[in-house]
Amino acid sequence: MTTKKAFVCGHPIKHSRSPILHGYWIDKHNIEGSYGIKDIAPANIDSFIKSMKENAFVGGNFTIPHKEAAYKAVDKLDEAAQKIGAVNTIWFEGDLLVGGNTDAHGFTANLDQHAKGWDSNPQTKTAIVFGAGGASRAVLYSLIARGVSKIYLVNRTIEKVNNLAAEFGKTIQPKTIYEIETILSKADIFINATSLGMKESDKYPFDIGALKKTALVTDLVYTPLQTILLKDAKNAGLKTVDGLGMLLHQAVPGFEKWFGIKPEVTDELRQIIVKDLQPNT
Ligand code: ATR
């Protein structure tokens, strides 16, 4: 039997946790497979993608800065990738290279696992999405796909909000960062899709405690796992979900496409990654 080879490619890439994740599942399911790291410079990404077949890869993950290049290079896109405008997972259908975006799946599956019922009666639900970059696009797609009726989109740079609102339609209500205090009490779910929180010195320009007491707060940042936002939300008595589950769950569809088995996101796997995230280990 030939070894099925997959990879994660980015530039830089050495800190990716994807090899640990996929390696764990390859071992667990006794698969004749491998999952490696490819550091590919932007100038070489197109030729790398074109040579996947001749290099006998069954597929791979694409991360910063290659998600847009992967989007352009494939023969076919899944619906999420089309809407989000970025590809993070590639697989083959016959000779066709198919590009998908599993970040949206990762986002919703994380909430489904850790905040069951978060999307019940979605037509009554209001969300605040903070951030209007690449990650925000996956979040907007997910919330709209689950039927959330109103999404306030807030960002430091308002042009990006307006562009996303024009693209994603009337569910999106654009708000400037100065208006955020006026909408907090209306939201059922708050999502941080900015990179704020990665540095200890990061400060939020609002008080998360102004949310409804029943509101859910989730952060896409997972280094650190307990961001300042999540700590503040917890201190205010709010339910929180950290961002690590999104990383774990976004890996599932790719693994299934390449290796034919749908793997599980277990506590054991989460603990392995949590340990790897600790500084100085
Ligand atoms: P990603 O792909 O992770 O979304 P990105 O596309 O670079 O990364 O987007 C980063 C997001 O974090 C943006 O919404 C950015 O706001 P701007 O559009 O105004 O740049 C937001 N962000 C980064 N640093 C920020 C800060 N100090 N305060 C507020 N927002 C910040």
Side-chain angles (χ1 to χ4, degrees), residues 64 130-136 155-157 160 177 193-196 202:
I64 295 168
F130 182 40
S136 175
N155 194 47
R156 181 177 60 178
T157 312
K160 289 193 197 166
I177 204 157
T194 72
S195 48
L196 265 185
D202 282 344

Side-chain angles (χ1 to χ4, degrees), residues 69-128:
Y71 173 88
K72 290 188 188 134
V74 293
D75 302 312
K76 197 175 144 186
L77 294 163
D78 77 0
E79 193 203 305
Q82 255 173 54
K83 256 326 232 171
I84 297 166
V87 159
N88 75 338
T89 306
I90 286 185
W91 64 92
F92 283 96
E93 279 176 23
D95 279 339
L96 283 190
L97 260 186
V98 187
N101 191 306
T102 66
D103 288 334
H105 166 79
F107 174 75
T108 41
N110 185 31
L111 294 186
D112 292 345
Q113 184 177 13
H114 296 289
K116 213 169 179 305
W118 69 275
D119 62 340
S120 57
N121 302 318
Q123 68 284 357
T124 65
K125 294 268 158 78
T126 296
I128 296 176

